[in-house]
């Protein structure tokens, strides 16, 4: 269910279709998740307001919570879904530095941490 629909085998597609037919909530959840994934992969940020409205119309508490969180910062989310720029490189460096810091926790001081960051 969480994989791309085109990667499912024929028997898995049939099984998923059967499950979705018997559970309307799961069917609605699958539709919303797939449409959000399409927005992400195809950079369709302009579709976000329609997606948020569709989520609010269904009785899916977990998706409503997600939609409320997205709605609080709607402009930034639309920009993230539309524009080609991102902060991935910076986030990668921050993650690497935090990993080095965790590895050294309680073992050494700032001087060694600084040296490891600069040499890594």
């Amino acid at each position: 269910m969480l994989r791309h629909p085109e990667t499912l085998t024929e028997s898995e597609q049939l099984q998923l279709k059967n499950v979705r037919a018997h559970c309307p909530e799961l069917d609605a959840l699958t539709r919303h998740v797939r449409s959000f994934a399409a927005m992400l992969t195809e950079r369709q940020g302009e579709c976000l307001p329609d997606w948020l409205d569709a989520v609010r119309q269904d009785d899916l508490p977990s998706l409503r919570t997600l939609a409320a969180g997205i709605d609080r910062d709607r402009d930034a989310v639309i920009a993230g879904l539309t524009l080609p720029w991102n902060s991935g490189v910076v986030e990668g460096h921050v993650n690497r530095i935090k990993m080095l810091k965790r590895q050294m926790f309680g073992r050494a001081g700032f001087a060694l941490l600084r040296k490891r960051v600069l040499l890594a």
Side-chain angles (χ1 to χ4, degrees), residues 14-117:
L14 195 60
Q15 187 177 18
L16 180 59
K17 185 178 179 180
N18 188 27
V19 169
R20 287 178 66 183
H22 287 86
C23 182
E25 292 86 7
L26 193 56
D27 185 50
L29 179 66
T30 303
R31 281 186 286 107
H32 291 308
V33 169
R34 286 183 177 173
S35 63
F36 191 78
M39 273 192 296
L40 284 173
T41 57
E42 298 168 14
R43 295 204 174 274
Q44 297 175 338
E46 65 278 356
C47 297
L48 183 66
D50 296 333
W51 184 84
L52 291 171
D53 291 338
V55 166
R56 284 190 197 101
Q57 290 175 2
D58 286 332
D59 188 27
L60 300 168
S62 57
L63 272 187
R64 278 193 182 170
T65 304
L66 174 68
I70 289 174
D71 208 21
R72 274 180 287 204
D73 206 7
R74 181 186 287 220
D75 292 336
V77 176
I78 290 174
L81 290 172
T82 308
L83 301 174
W85 305 288
N86 65 55
S87 60
V89 174
V90 173
E91 294 296 329
H93 288 300
V94 168
N95 190 37
R96 179 179 55 84
I97 290 170
K98 285 182 178 182
M99 187 237 355
L100 289 171
K101 183 180 174 185
R102 279 192 302 271
Q103 287 176 341
M104 294 180 47
F105 183 75
R107 295 193 181 126
F110 180 74
L112 183 58
L113 175 62
R114 182 176 184 274
K115 193 173 279 190
R116 284 195 68 186
V117 168

